[in-house]
Amino acid sequence: MNDRSKRRVRFLAAFVGLFAAVWLLWDTPFVYPVKLFVVLLHEISHGLATLATGGRILAIEVTPREGGLCRCPGGNAFLSLSAGYLGSLLWGGLMIWGAERFPTLSSWFSAALAVIVGGMTLLFAQQSFAVAFGLAFSAALLAVAWRASAGVNRVLLTALGLTSCLYAVLDIKSDILDRPELRSDARMLAELTGVPTLLWGGLWIAVALLFCFVLFRWAWRRA
């Protein structure tokens, strides 16, 4: 077995191990804070899309039961509504891409992520739980970025990115495909466009799965 084959075997073993750990621990307290973090990224994505299209953010909320809300009037409603699930997927992809493409800079990526999350929390979170969680999580990220090695930060970013991508897929399935009657992003987009909720859910989950496949293929080739 040549060096490239060995690297790919190590990559596949590490990826499968990390994925299995996240999957098996999905409903445990170990993954719970990360799931809340992804919910926060989901709401931040709504807000950033609204700001980018001329709107404003009034408040970002996150609840202990993994619920979230972004009060962001104005802007382009189509892009703002689409940015939630797809945004958390993109955040996950960026974390994995940064960790794999620039492994020696992983600590800086962790610090930048902490600043973004902490800044958005301070600016727009008004609910006590959202403020406490956002600041605590960003402080933990900063601590790891400051104290831990680039290798540890690389593993952390990969785990966070993988969880974010997986959560986006499962959340679309749970909120839209399994329970289309919920007032989800897809339901509001259906009311805006006239396109059925399930069609938006199917489209988003197809995009999410394709995104995950392309991301894995890219990482595999780099190995």
Side-chain angles (χ1 to χ4, degrees), residues 2 7 44 46 77 79 126 141 150 190-191 196:
N2 58 34
R7 287 197 301 271
I44 287 174
H46 281 308
L79 293 179
Q126 299 175 1
L141 277 176
E191 294 170 358

Side-chain angles (χ1 to χ4, degrees), residues 37-207:
F37 170 65
V38 178
V39 172
L40 182 56
L41 291 181
H42 178 113
E43 304 309 331
I44 287 174
S45 299
H46 281 308
L48 292 178
T50 302
L51 288 177
T53 54
R56 58 198 179 102
I57 304 175
L58 298 180
I60 288 176
E61 300 177 10
V62 176
T63 71
R65 298 185 66 181
E66 299 174 36
L69 178 66
C70 182
R71 302 183 188 279
C72 45
N76 186 302
F78 178 84
L79 293 179
S80 297
L81 289 169
S82 302
Y85 297 113
L86 300 184
S88 55
L89 186 72
L90 182 59
W91 281 106
L94 286 173
M95 283 183 261
I96 294 173
W97 175 81
E100 294 298 321
R101 180 67 178 82
F102 306 102
T104 59
L105 298 178
S106 294
S107 299
W108 290 97
F109 286 126
S110 295
L113 185 60
V115 170
I116 292 170
V117 171
M120 293 294 287
T121 299
L122 286 172
L123 287 172
F124 302 113
Q126 299 175 1
Q127 169 204 32
S128 58
F129 180 81
V131 173
F133 174 78
L135 293 182
F137 202 94
S138 61
L141 277 176
L142 274 178
V144 175
W146 181 261
R147 295 290 185 180
S149 66
V152 171
N153 278 276
R154 181 185 181 187
V155 173
L156 173 65
L157 287 171
T158 302
L160 291 177
L162 181 62
T163 306
S164 188
C165 291
L166 182 60
Y167 193 90
V169 174
L170 295 178
D171 215 22
I172 293 171
K173 178 182 180 298
S174 174
D175 290 352
I176 301 172
L177 302 184
D178 294 345
R179 298 175 293 172
E181 72 280 359
L182 290 181
R183 190 161 178 75
S184 62
D185 297 341
R187 179 68 178 270
M188 288 185 280
L189 200 55
E191 294 170 358
L192 179 68
T193 63
V195 178
T197 302
L198 286 174
L199 190 57
W200 284 117
L203 176 62
W204 286 348
I205 205 165
V207 170

Side-chain angles (χ1 to χ4, degrees), residues 1-16 220 223:
M1 185 180 293
N2 58 34
D3 289 343
R4 184 169 185 174
S5 297
K6 290 179 181 178
R7 287 197 301 271
R8 285 187 165 176
V9 169
R10 287 196 296 268
F11 165 79
L12 186 60
F15 178 85
V16 171
W220 171 262

